[in-house]
Amino acid sequence: MKKFLLMAVMAVMTLGASAQSWYAGGQLTFGRTTQETSGLKTTQVTVLPELGYNLTDNFAVGSVLGVSYRKTNGEEKTVFKVNPYARYSYFKNDRVSLFIDGGVDFGIGRAEGSTAVEYGIGLRPGISYNISKKLSLVAHVGFLGYQSGNRPAKNNGAAENWGLDLNSNNLMFGLYYNF
């Protein structure tokens, strides 16, 4: 099985010899919210470094590997995240690229003394703006798919979502360095 996977990866890597290049970047978020009706205060810090590889001019694969920390009224939850994805760029010019990421989200951590597991699968549309040959500003907006978690994760803020979520709370910005 290992030999088959290695051969498959090597075959895919040779498909786009002209476009092969690495990129690295990610996202950093910090937020504090207070609900007016209940006074519930939530602080969240997320660090999501990302590494990807352009297989062809229009197709890339990558993964986000990071950590998210949330504190709500004294209860803390730390989740380690792994989010592999495949990216298809359907429009490109010199500076702008429109793409869609299809990926799997997985996170595991501790909440309320139990193991909290978050998971999801879906599509995220995005836009990339090349500031220079080496730097790109990237934004994702929205999500189409399914996200959930086990009971400890849901009790500590993980929502169960299915469908299309296009709102300003789902806007993420990142900065990529292209090798």
Side-chain angles (χ1 to χ4, degrees):
M1 182 70 174
K2 289 180 187 178
K3 290 180 184 178
F4 174 75
L5 286 175
L6 182 60
M7 288 176 53
V9 168
M10 290 174 58
V12 169
M13 290 174 67
T14 60
L15 289 176
S18 65
Q20 293 179 357
S21 62
W22 290 93
Y23 59 90
Q27 301 163 11
L28 173 67
T29 61
F30 173 79
R32 181 158 172 93
T33 57
T34 303
Q35 293 180 357
E36 285 186 38
T37 55
S38 66
L40 184 69
K41 295 180 180 181
T42 301
T43 302
Q44 183 163 345
V45 178
T46 305
V47 179
L48 300 173
E50 181 176 339
L51 183 64
Y53 189 74
N54 293 306
L55 296 170
T56 68
D57 287 338
N58 294 332
F59 191 72
V61 292
S63 185
V64 174
L65 180 65
V67 65
S68 177
Y69 169 82
R70 176 188 293 233
K71 182 176 181 179
T72 304
N73 280 359
E75 292 184 26
E76 297 180 2
K77 178 177 81 167
T78 302
V79 177
F80 297 94
K81 298 183 176 225
V82 177
N83 304 343
Y85 64 86
R87 174 172 295 166
Y88 176 70
S89 298
Y90 55 90
F91 172 81
K92 278 187 164 190
N93 69 18
D94 291 340
R95 294 266 185 201
V96 177
S97 174
L98 300 176
F99 61 86
I100 190 153
D101 287 351
V104 177
D105 300 339
F106 179 77
I108 190 165
R110 299 291 289 172
E112 302 172 351
S114 300
T115 301
V117 179
E118 299 175 359
Y119 47 86
I121 186 167
L123 302 172
R124 285 187 174 86
I127 184 169
S128 173
Y129 178 75
N130 296 328
I131 298 169
S132 69
K133 219 174 187 180
K134 295 289 185 185
L135 286 178
S136 301
L137 182 63
V138 177
H140 290 87
V141 62
F143 179 78
L144 172 64
Y146 178 73
Q147 295 173 317
S148 188
N150 66 356
R151 183 64 46 212
K154 288 179 183 176
N155 289 344
N156 207 326
E160 184 166 9
N161 299 319
W162 186 92
L164 179 63
D165 183 9
L166 290 175
N167 64 55
S168 60
N169 292 333
N170 213 346
L171 181 63
M172 298 179 290
F173 288 100
L175 187 65
Y176 286 5
Y177 179 79
N178 302 297
F179 296 96

